[in-house]
Amino acid sequence: MQVVDDGRCFICGQDNPVGFKATFIIDPEKRRAETTVRIAEHFQGWQGITHGGIISALLDEICAQACMGSGLQVVTSEIKLRYRVPVPTGSIITVIGEVTGERRRLVTVKGYAELEGQLVAEADVIMFRVDR
């Protein structure tokens, strides 16, 4: 399977007019990725609260970026999320992903979302390698 970046990813695509256009700090040695994004008001669920699916998408993407920054081409196989506190729209959050293990074609990754140093959500993600 070949995955192709056409610039239109909802999170990182620079050609997606409604996406985040996120950029990433990648540390290949630590197998880690990080980004900081502002949650626009149009990403709300309940009034003034960021939709949980947006937080999920950000955690999914940062975990994929941690893998890709380590030279692995992956797609998400499984994601387990825990929301800690609601995130107000308009917030600037930091999202971090770290590869924690690898077994055959599966890569385990931990994702965190923080608002002003407070953990707001975390994810345990299993990525499937498509580059083998």
Side-chain angles (χ1 to χ4, degrees):
M1 174 183 216
Q2 183 77 10
V3 291
V4 177
D5 180 1
D6 67 356
R8 298 198 41 88
C9 171
F10 178 68
I11 303 298
C12 66
Q14 300 302 305
D15 296 330
N16 187 323
V18 297
F20 282 92
K21 295 179 177 41
T23 57
F24 303 93
I25 299 168
I26 305 291
D27 186 335
E29 288 183 21
K30 291 184 179 178
R31 304 182 88 183
R32 184 179 191 279
E34 181 176 331
T35 191
T36 301
V37 296
R38 181 185 171 282
I39 309 291
E41 286 73 16
H42 63 266
F43 291 127
Q44 82 170 30
W46 295 113
Q47 182 179 10
I49 303 295
T50 303
H51 192 287
I54 297 299
I55 301 298
S56 176
L58 287 163
L59 287 164
D60 177 46
E61 180 68 23
I62 201 67
C63 290
Q65 290 291 330
C67 291
M68 292 184 295
S70 301
L72 307 174
Q73 195 169 42
V74 297
V75 294
T76 305
S77 176
E78 181 178 317
I79 186 166
K80 179 181 175 185
L81 279 105
R82 181 166 188 173
Y83 299 97
R84 298 287 185 166
V85 295
V87 177
T89 54
S91 297
I92 297 173
I93 65 170
T94 300
V95 191
I96 301 161
E98 299 174 340
V99 175
T100 58
E102 233 181 304
R103 184 167 171 245
R104 296 188 186 137
R105 294 184 77 170
L106 299 179
V107 183
T108 55
V109 191
K110 184 75 174 174
Y112 309 90
E114 299 176 347
L115 173 61
E116 298 175 355
Q118 178 186 18
L119 181 66
V120 296
E122 59 189 314
D124 292 303
V125 181
I126 299 173
M127 296 285 181
F128 181 77
R129 289 185 68 170
V130 295
D131 57 351
R132 285 189 175 179

